[in-house]
C-alpha cells in the first residue's frame, strides 16, 4: 500500500516550482489558478522572492500547497494516472493536510488557496509579533518534550506543537516559556533546544482566535468526501466525512500535529511506501519513524518520471 504525503511550513524557498513550471503547462496552469484565486502574483513571489516576503505565513502556506499540487497534477495529467488508483491514503503536515485534501479531490484548488491565505493571516494576527515562539527539542521524544513544556510553563502557555519523529518534537507558547524550555532542555534529557525562525506560536492554545476564524471560513467552504482517506493531524487516523474533516481542520489550528503517530498508523494499516510531493522534509522523518518503509521525495520532472516508472 502507498500513501501520498505533503509538507508543511518551512519547505518554502525562492525558486520553488519554477523548473517544473518551465517544463510543464500543467504546472503553469496550477500556479496561474492560485494567482487568480488570491488576486496576487504569488507565482512571481515564489520565483523571484524576496525570501522574507515568501516566508510570511500568509504567503508561505498557499505557496507550499501550490508547489505540491503542481507536482501531483503533472504526475496525473502528463503521466496518465489517477491518484485514487495509486494511493491508498493521503496525509499532510499541518498546512499540508489542506494540500492532501485538495489532491484527493475534497477541496478544489481555488478554495484551498483562499483558505490557506486566510489561515496564514489569522495565525499571524492571533498573537502579537514577539509574544510567542516555537522551539525544536532535538533528541527528545514526546514524553520528554511534554515534561520540558510542563516544567517551563510556570503559568504561561507552553505545549507540544509537533510530534514529528522519535528524535524531534516541537513546542510552542509564549516567548518567555519557550526561552525557559530551551534553558532546561538538556536537564530533561534532550540534546538541545533550538528556537525556530517563525513569526507566531503555531499549534498551541494561543492560536484560538485563528481557530475561530477558520471555523467560520470552513463552514462556508465546500468540502466533498476525499477519493481516499485522509489521515488527519489531530487524531492520527483516517477521516472521510466532510463535516468531520471541517471539525478536525479547526481543531488542528490549536492542536498537536501527531505526525509520528500518523505515519505509524498508516504503516500499521499496511502502507509500505510513502511519496512526498513538493518537498524533501517528510521523507527523512518517515524513515526515522518506520525504518523499513520506502520514502520517496518528488520535486522535479526527473523525480516524476522516475516515480511513473515505479508505480
Amino acid at each position: 500500500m502507498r500513501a501520498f504525503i505533503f509538507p508543511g511550513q518551512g519547505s518554502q524557498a525562492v525558486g520553488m516550482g519554477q523548473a517544473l513550471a518551465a517544463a510543464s503547462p500543467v504546472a503553469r496552469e496550477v500556479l496561474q489558478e492560485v494567482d487568480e484565486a488570491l488576486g496576487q502574483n504569488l507565482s512571481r513571489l515564489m520565483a523571484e522572492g524576496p525570501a522574507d516576503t515568501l516566508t510570511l505565513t500568509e504567503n508561505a502556506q498557499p505557496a507550499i500547497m501550490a508547489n505540491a499540487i503542481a507536482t501531483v497534477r503533472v504526475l496525473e495529467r502528463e503521466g496518465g494516472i489517477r491518484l485514487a488508483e495509486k494511493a491508498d491514503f493521503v496525509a499532510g503536515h499541518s498546512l499540508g493536510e489542506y494540500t492532501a485534501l485538495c489532491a484527493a479531490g475534497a477541496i478544489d484548488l481555488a478554495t484551498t488557496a483562499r483558505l490557506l491565505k486566510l489561515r496564514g493571516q489569522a495565525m499571524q494576527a492571533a498573537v502579537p509579533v514577539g509574544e510567542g515562539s516555537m522551539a525544536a527539542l532535538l533528541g527528545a521524544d514526546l514524553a520528554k518534550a511534554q515534561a520540558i513544556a510542563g516544567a517551563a510553563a510556570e503559568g504561561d502557555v507552553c505545549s507540544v506543537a509537533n510530534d514529528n519523529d522519535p528524535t524531534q518534537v516541537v513546542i510552542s507558547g509564549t516567548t518567555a516559556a519557550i526561552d525557559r524550555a530551551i534553558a532546561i532542555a538538556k536537564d530533561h534529557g534532550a540534546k538541545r533546544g533550538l528556537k525556530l525562525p517563525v513569526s507566531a506560536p503555531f499549534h498551541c492554545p494561543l492560536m484560538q482566535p485563528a481557530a475561530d476564524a477558520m471555523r467560520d471560513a470552513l463552514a462556508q467552504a465546500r468540502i466533498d468526501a476525499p477519493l481516499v482517506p485522509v489521515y488527519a493531524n489531530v487524531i492520527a487516523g483516517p477521516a472521510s466525512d466532510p463535516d468531520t474533516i471541517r471539525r478536525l481542520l479547526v481543531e488542528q489550528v490549536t492542536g498537536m500535529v501527531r505526525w509520528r503517530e500518523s505515519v505509524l498508523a498508516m504503516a500499521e494499516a499496511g502502507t509500505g511506501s510513502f511519496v512526498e510531493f513538493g518537498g524533501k522534509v517528510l521523507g527523512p522523518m518517515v524513515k526515522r519513524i518506520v525504518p523499513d518503509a520506502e520514502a520517496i521525495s518528488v520535486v522535479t520532472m526527473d523525480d516524476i518520471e522516475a516515480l511513473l516508472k515505479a508505480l
Side-chain angles (χ1 to χ4, degrees):
M1 298 175 74
R2 183 182 296 111
F4 285 2
I5 58 176
F6 301 91
Q9 204 151 326
S11 55
Q12 73 276 353
V14 173
M16 62 192 297
Q18 293 316 296
L20 194 64
S24 169
V26 174
R28 292 195 294 276
E29 284 175 20
V30 169
L31 297 181
Q32 182 177 353
E33 186 174 345
V34 170
D35 283 352
E36 291 171 358
L38 298 180
Q40 173 189 6
N41 198 337
L42 184 66
S43 59
R44 185 167 70 188
L45 178 60
M46 292 164 66
E48 301 174 5
D52 58 347
T53 305
L54 178 60
T55 301
L56 290 174
T57 303
E58 66 176 85
N59 294 324
Q61 293 199 29
I64 291 163
M65 180 277 297
N67 182 50
I69 290 296
T71 313
V72 173
R73 292 274 174 90
V74 171
L75 178 77
E76 290 182 309
R77 295 188 188 171
E78 297 191 11
I81 71 155
R82 294 179 66 242
L83 178 146
E85 294 173 354
K86 300 298 181 182
D88 299 282
F89 307 116
V90 294
H93 190 284
S94 190
L95 80 90
E97 190 166 315
Y98 285 79
T99 316
L101 288 161
C102 181
I107 311 177
D108 68 62
L109 178 60
T111 300
T112 306
R114 288 191 288 265
L115 285 170
L116 285 175
K117 182 77 172 180
L118 173 64
R119 185 176 181 267
Q121 291 171 333
M123 292 172 90
Q124 185 60 67
V127 179
V129 173
E131 292 188 12
S133 299
M134 300 179 75
L137 299 177
L138 306 180
D141 59 14
L142 179 59
K144 287 180 183 176
Q146 288 172 329
I148 293 167
E154 294 183 13
D156 291 333
V157 171
C158 189
S159 57
V160 173
N162 306 339
D163 179 14
N164 285 335
D165 65 44
T167 67
Q168 186 201 88
V169 180
V170 175
I171 56 173
S172 184
T174 65
T175 296
I178 295 301
D179 287 344
R180 288 193 293 268
I182 291 170
I184 66 171
K186 286 186 178 179
D187 295 337
H188 284 76
K191 289 183 180 176
R192 64 177 175 136
L194 180 67
K195 189 171 280 191
L196 297 179
V198 295
S199 53
F202 307 133
H203 299 293
C204 79
L206 295 172
M207 286 287 111
Q208 189 58 49
D212 295 340
M214 292 311 298
R215 179 180 291 107
D216 294 342
L218 287 160
Q220 303 298 318
R222 175 172 175 168
I223 300 180
D224 297 316
L227 297 170
V228 298
V230 178
Y231 269 70
N233 286 181
V234 295
I235 61 170
S240 294
D241 173 69
D243 286 338
T244 300
I245 288 168
R246 279 190 182 87
R247 175 175 59 79
L248 296 175
L249 287 175
V250 173
E251 291 178 8
Q252 189 217 59
V253 178
T254 56
M256 179 171 67
V257 175
R258 296 167 62 183
W259 185 251
R260 177 185 60 84
E261 292 175 89
S262 296
V263 172
L264 282 174
M266 286 185 278
E268 288 167 3
T271 304
S273 176
F274 294 81
V275 184
E276 177 183 6
F277 288 89
K280 297 184 177 181
V281 178
L282 301 180
M285 289 184 193
V286 167
K287 293 297 288 183
R288 289 192 289 270
I289 299 165
V290 188
D292 293 338
E294 177 186 50
I296 302 167
S297 293
V298 180
V299 177
T300 66
M301 190 63 87
D302 286 346
D303 294 337
I304 292 170
E305 290 170 358
L307 178 60
L308 282 169
K309 292 176 184 176
L311 291 175

